[in-house]
Amino acid sequence: MVDQNSCVALYLSQTEAEAAVRMLQQAEFDIKKISLIGKGDDHEEHPIGFYSTGKRVKLWAKKGAFWGGVWGLLFGAGLFWIPGVGPVLMAGPLVAVLVATLESAVVVGGLSALGAALYSIGIPKESIIRYETALNIEQYLVVVHGSLQEVERAYEVLSASESTDVAIHLS
Amino acid sequence: MTPESPFYADSLKCLQESTLFGELDRETLVDILSRCRRETWKQRRLLPLEETWQRFHILLSGRVRLSRSNPHSGRMITLFLHGPGDGFCLFSLLDGQPHDLMLETLDDVALLSIPMEETREWIAAHPAFNRALLPYIGQQMCVLANLAEDLALHDTETRLARLILRHMDDAESAHAEPRLINDLSNESLAEMIGSVRVVVNRQLQHWKQEGIVDAHRGYLAVEKLNALAQRAEQQLASPLAKTSMLQ
């Protein structure tokens, strides 16, 4: 069960997003409460694919090295093709939320499956639409779940990062 | 929040259109946005003000009501109903103390918040904001004075008429919805005038039969503004009271 409060930060580049995750890690945040979402390439120059080597899943794509590094840090990983959004790469507990949303066929008016997953963790529709638009233009979302105190602390850390927007969502 | 944020333009526009921030120059507003924390609260969230009084809040979208209740009788009175552009936790900004108020979101709300201490420093550094804040505080005091007057001097019909008129923007329109309160339940309306749901319901049905309002579940519009104004004024004894009603 993912906490219903969250702190969401937006980044223009994968380097900035990765740095933010590392800042949270250095601030001793529970890594199980951090998620990262980014858009996969619609038109990869190279074939895109997953393969498994033992227990680790690897991504063979242009951004494979980045996501490989992130997946080494965070718990859970997945690539989803979401109508209206396209390929979405995700790491962290939000993967389980999205899978649960897909399995239970939750529909939230006007939102994609990703939007419905974000809605289920307490993010309002108005914000979700902006976040999805940001993902579509290759921006990255870092999401921290937790109690009010935890998300407030996450806000302090992420405010010091290179984010264009940090917000707290309380439900 | 930086100018690259997808929420920046709307937040800036909301501040520019608000009573509290509308007169400030763009540079000052940009400074506010860079200092504030953006938050969203889901609909029907109840927050004791003890949890929020250490930050000053600026509402960007949605509605928030501040109320007091009697835990023994369960009765509630709404002291303030805030909409986009309003600032709240003003009392704590003034006296640095928590207050016994309950805060409830009526919609999903988006807001900006800033620690009280930083707000005070900010007021000191920006005299233009200070000049805008004083009349705003005056407005809020008028809201409380009007409520006290209504409760002490007027019957329910007059109180309800005055409540609706205070939320009307366009005095000329024949069919107009009051601001902020047009979709409230009768119970919520009752809590704004110190009454109970059945009484408000009966009064609205009576006015509906007279063609003064159009009211049904979660919808309220005024059909005959002059007739409603007469109901609001029928018990007002002095010209001074009439003036205060319009504030």
Side-chain angles (χ1 to χ4, degrees), chain A residues 10 119 122-124 127 130-131 152 155 163-171, chain B residues 1-2 4-7 10 36-42 45 51 55 108-109:
Chain A
L10 264 174
Y119 189 80
I123 300 177
S127 298
R130 306 291 174 93
Y131 289 144
E152 283 189 330
Y155 181 90
S163 62
T164 56
D165 183 86
V166 193
I168 285 181
H169 301 286
L170 306 178
S171 58
Chain B
M1 195 188 305
T2 69
E4 288 81 29
S5 162
F7 302 91
D10 282 352
C36 284
R37 184 167 88 184
R38 196 171 68 78
E39 298 180 25
T40 67
W41 299 349
K42 289 290 263 188
R45 186 181 166 86
E51 287 182 19
R55 301 182 76 87
D108 284 351
V109 303

Side-chain angles (χ1 to χ4, degrees), chain A residues 39-48 61-63 81 86-87 136 138:
Chain A
K39 185 112 188 294
D41 282 340
D42 281 316
H43 34 75
E44 281 280 354
E45 292 163 12
H46 305 289
I48 187 169
K62 200 165 73 179
K63 296 173 185 169
W81 188 282
N136 267 326
E138 307 273 317

